[in-house]
Amino acid sequence: PEPQVPRDPSKKTLVILGTGWGSVSLLKKLDTENYNVVVISPRNYFLFTPLLPSCTTGLIEHRSIMEPIRSICRSKKGPVTFYEAEASSVDVNRKIVKIRDSSDIRGDSNETEVPYDMLVVGVGAENATFGIPGVREHSCFLKEIGDAQQIRKKIMDCVETAAFKDQPEAEIDRLLHMVVVGGGPTGVEFAGELRDFFEDDIRKLIPDIADRFRVTLIEALPNVLPSFSKQLIEYTESTFKEEEIAIHTKTMVKKVTDKTVEAEASKPDGTKESVVFPYGLLVWATGNTLRPLVRDMMASIPAQKDSRRGLAVNEYLVVQGTRDIWAVGDCAVAGYAPTAQVASQEGTFLARLFNNMAKTAELEERIQTLSSSLNLKPGVNSASVTREIEDTERKLQRIKDIKPFHYSHQGSLAYIGSEKAVADVAWFNGNVASGGTMTYYFWRSAYLSMVFSTRNRLLVLNDWVKSKVFGRDISRE
Ligand code: FAD
Ligand code: NAD
């Protein structure tokens, strides 16, 4: 049967994969009246990832940082079709995306094809495990809302189990040892949030075990936060020391079991040493790897054969070796870091590009109509028509002159616990590196202004106030 995409035959079908930073920024700025817009994602909401670490401790409730995609679609002028499904493959020659419903409830139709004229791939990335044994089975990731909920439950399970009657001493120590692998911003922010949770709430509510709680951060490189300036790395490391978060740098995790992390540490004299960390909770935050869809696309497009980290794109974000396919965010390689900031600027750029393309087509058609009216209808005021053609051509030229994508770095911000944050911010043509409590307030207000909808902004603000006044809710769902 013919795929059921509601189409206006006079318009091109623009299919957008994903509802993350890249795709949603595109959707928000896109004039949807110009295209048949179809959004496909297994997640029917946008997730504000910068505040995800705060959901692991209940400082922020998870729904506060989720924005339903259907509300975004409804707010658009032109209709947008949304399918909750994952794209399983893209047939570049037939211009078809195969999709399947991978949710728990599936109808008789759960696999189908969606044709496109233009395709935007914004499917993000997966968690890297480097094939290290035991990681998938025993650790928690921190990427999706379900991950944060799972961590929240497990923290409290570890705490309550440690407080169980007659628990042996060594077992209490293991259960209350929270290990984080990966000293990038995700690992650092999570370690900071965890420490806050214990200091602010657990210590008061369950004082008998509070002193046994430990957080350890393991990083393979010589320091944490490799993308931040040296001064802020030092500030973070010294703050962690005060917060009693143990940092093990130059330590590479090799294996994970249900109760231990096995690593290899490089000693100052260059020799290696095996270290075993017993843990209660293990959070794995070692960065990104390719999604299968992206890997398959790369394998099927000859021009992508030298690309390793994602779909190589040109300066207009067109996937190299294709026509009519663009990529944004963590699945695209445009020469920038895989961050929300980059993804959202890329999405906004594409919206402008597509809005312009539609306008170009409209103006070209107008020029054609005017030109033919000159030939076909004698007696028309040819001088005024010629003037209009010239005006339209000038307008067209201005619109066609689209500059390539240029990323403007607004700075890097990370929360490090104890109401302190670090920020490398571009300011008046220079870079300002700052750390401390003022930076923390800056961090909070920056995020608050970034949280997309007014509803989400209010929810987050409410959560912050609620946690400050009443403490975090430690009930285990
Ligand atoms: P995502 O936002 O990951 O979205 C991908 C979308 O594609 C999702 O909707 C997903 O469901 C969907 N999808 C997946 N597979 C398929 C498929 N097969 N078919 C269709 N759809 C699919 N960056 C910053 O700049 N600042 C920060 O403070 C910051 N904090 C972060 C905190 C955490 C805990 C994490 C994990 C990341 C953080 N980042 C931050 C990084 C940032 O979240 C990512 O760079 C950003 O999400 C990338 O956007 P994206 O649109 O490429 O992918
Ligand atoms: P990352 O790639 O930035 O860091 C992962 C770290 O894990 C690396 O430092 C790596 O050396 C380490 N690692 C890898 N394998 C290891 C092993 N076996 N043992 C020990 N350590 C190991 O990953 P991330 O922190 O998840 O960040 C992903 C992206 O999202 C980055 O671009 C980051 O900038 C962005 N992000 C930004 C923020 C923020 O701006 N506040 C917060 C979170 C994420």
Side-chain angles (χ1 to χ4, degrees):
E2 265 297 292
Q4 298 166 8
V5 180
R7 281 162 170 263
D8 174 343
S10 68
K11 295 176 186 171
K12 286 189 170 177
T13 297
L14 168 61
V15 173
I16 302 172
L17 305 182
T19 46
W21 277 96
S23 302
V24 169
S25 304
L26 157 63
L27 188 60
K28 289 214 165 180
K29 291 274 157 54
L30 182 71
D31 183 347
T32 54
E33 284 181 311
N34 295 326
Y35 301 96
N36 295 308
V37 182
V38 182
V39 178
I40 297 164
S41 174
R43 214 172 70 182
N44 78 346
Y45 56 88
F46 165 75
L47 176 64
F48 189 85
T49 47
L51 291 177
L52 191 61
S54 299
C55 290
T56 61
T57 62
L59 179 72
I60 289 179
E61 293 296 339
H62 62 275
R63 285 192 176 271
S64 305
I65 60 164
M66 294 159 70
E67 191 178 349
I69 196 71
R70 298 253 177 213
S71 333
I72 300 172
C73 294
R74 277 298 295 274
S75 69
K76 301 302 298 180
K77 261 196 189 155
V80 178
T81 305
F82 173 71
Y83 297 127
E84 193 191 74
E86 62 177 33
S88 48
S89 65
V90 174
D91 186 331
V92 179
N93 298 320
R94 287 172 60 221
K95 296 186 105 177
I96 293 276
V97 183
K98 288 200 173 148
I99 65 166
R100 64 166 169 249
D101 179 356
S102 46
S103 66
D104 291 342
I105 297 175
R106 283 172 222 169
D108 291 341
S109 169
N110 53 54
E111 248 175 300
T112 187
E113 295 182 339
V114 179
Y116 65 83
D117 297 307
M118 296 156 74
L119 175 70
V120 176
V121 186
V123 298
E126 274 192 7
N127 295 293
T129 64
F130 307 102
I132 297 170
V135 174
R136 288 215 177 270
E137 297 85 324
H138 306 298
S139 55
C140 299
F141 297 115
L142 182 49
K143 192 162 186 69
E144 296 293 340
I145 211 70
D147 299 332
Q149 287 172 297
Q150 190 191 19
I151 293 173
R152 188 174 175 187
K153 268 187 208 165
K154 279 200 173 181
I155 297 171
M156 282 322 294
D157 204 355
C158 284
V159 169
E160 297 296 3
T161 309
F164 192 81
K165 186 169 182 298
D166 303 331
Q167 200 62 269
E169 293 295 308
E171 192 64 348
I172 296 177
D173 285 336
R174 179 184 72 79
L175 288 162
L176 293 180
H177 189 198
M178 313 276 140
V179 173
V180 184
V181 180
T186 304
V188 165
E189 290 194 325
F190 172 66
E193 295 277 357
L194 202 50
R195 192 73 224 172
D196 285 358
F197 181 31
F198 269 81
E199 287 308 314
D200 298 347
D201 299 299
I202 305 280
R203 184 174 285 287
K204 283 181 210 144
L205 295 167
I206 320 173
D208 357 338
I209 54 159
D211 287 335
R212 314 282 287 273
F213 180 77
R214 283 178 307 138
V215 181
T216 296
L217 182 65
I218 303 175
E219 167 57 52
L221 297 176
N223 55 267
V224 298
L225 293 182
S227 58
F228 282 69
S229 62
K230 192 166 173 279
Q231 179 196 345
L232 292 180
I233 291 170
E234 280 165 12
Y235 182 77
T236 306
E237 292 186 347
S238 76
T239 305
F240 271 21
K241 210 171 193 173
E242 281 165 28
E243 292 170 350
E244 293 175 348
I245 296 173
I247 301 181
H248 290 257
T249 50
K250 294 189 188 162
T251 305
M252 172 85 83
V253 173
K254 299 278 184 182
K255 188 180 165 192
V256 170
T257 70
D258 59 342
K259 290 180 182 168
T260 60
V261 170
E262 297 174 19
E264 192 177 75
S266 304
K267 292 203 283 189
D269 64 3
T271 57
K272 308 255 189 233
E273 169 184 45
S274 290
V275 201
V276 175
F277 301 87
Y279 70 84
L281 172 78
L282 173 62
V283 171
W284 193 264
T286 62
N288 293 344
T289 190
L290 300 176
R291 287 208 192 273
L293 175 78
V294 174
R295 192 175 302 122
D296 292 351
M297 283 184 75
M298 287 163 66
S300 72
I301 303 167
Q304 295 286 328
K305 78 173 191 319
D306 293 329
S307 188
R308 294 280 165 275
R309 313 179 111 226
L311 290 162
V313 294
N314 72 10
E315 70 272 35
Y316 289 91
L317 307 181
V318 177
V319 173
Q320 306 269 18
T322 71
R323 290 191 58 191
D324 306 321
I325 305 184
W326 291 259
V328 286
D330 287 2
C331 67
V333 178
Y336 307 107
T339 65
Q341 222 181 120
V342 170
S344 70
Q345 287 185 29
E346 289 177 342
T348 305
F349 169 82
L350 277 195
R352 229 179 28 241
L353 186 77
F354 295 163
N355 293 345
N356 273 4
M357 280 163 65
K359 233 179 253 157
T360 307
E362 194 184 296
L363 291 177
E364 275 169 349
E365 213 178 290
R366 177 81 190 134
I367 291 172
Q368 209 161 21
T369 316
L370 288 169
S371 310
S372 38
S373 78
L374 272 182
N375 302 335
L376 297 176
K377 292 184 199 153
V380 291
N381 183 346
S382 64
S384 80
V385 173
T386 310
R387 217 174 310 119
E388 195 180 340
I389 292 177
E390 282 166 5
D391 281 353
T392 316
E393 272 172 348
R394 264 195 300 276
K395 229 187 252 172
L396 184 64
Q397 211 42 51
R398 264 202 313 275
I399 290 173
K400 270 190 165 170
D401 191 22
I402 304 170
K403 303 266 178 306
F405 174 70
H406 171 75
Y407 169 62
S408 144
H409 186 59
Q410 302 299 305
S412 309
L413 272 171
Y415 181 63
I416 59 171
S418 310
E419 302 203 342
K420 288 177 183 161
V422 286
D424 268 325
V425 186
W427 213 296
F428 297 114
N429 298 327
N431 272 329
V432 178
S434 85
T437 308
M438 281 315 288
T439 314
Y440 164 73
Y441 286 112
F442 172 67
W443 173 83
R444 277 203 160 180
S445 48
Y447 279 151
L448 205 57
S449 66
M450 275 159 64
V451 176
F452 272 10
S453 68
T454 309
R455 169 184 162 274
N456 287 96
R457 215 166 283 159
L458 284 175
L459 289 173
V460 167
L461 199 58
N462 180 52
D463 288 343
W464 277 335
V465 173
K466 198 173 70 182
S467 304
K468 188 90 190 160
V469 178
F470 302 108
R472 295 166 181 82
D473 181 348
I474 67 161
S475 17
R476 191 166 73 83
E477 283 172 76

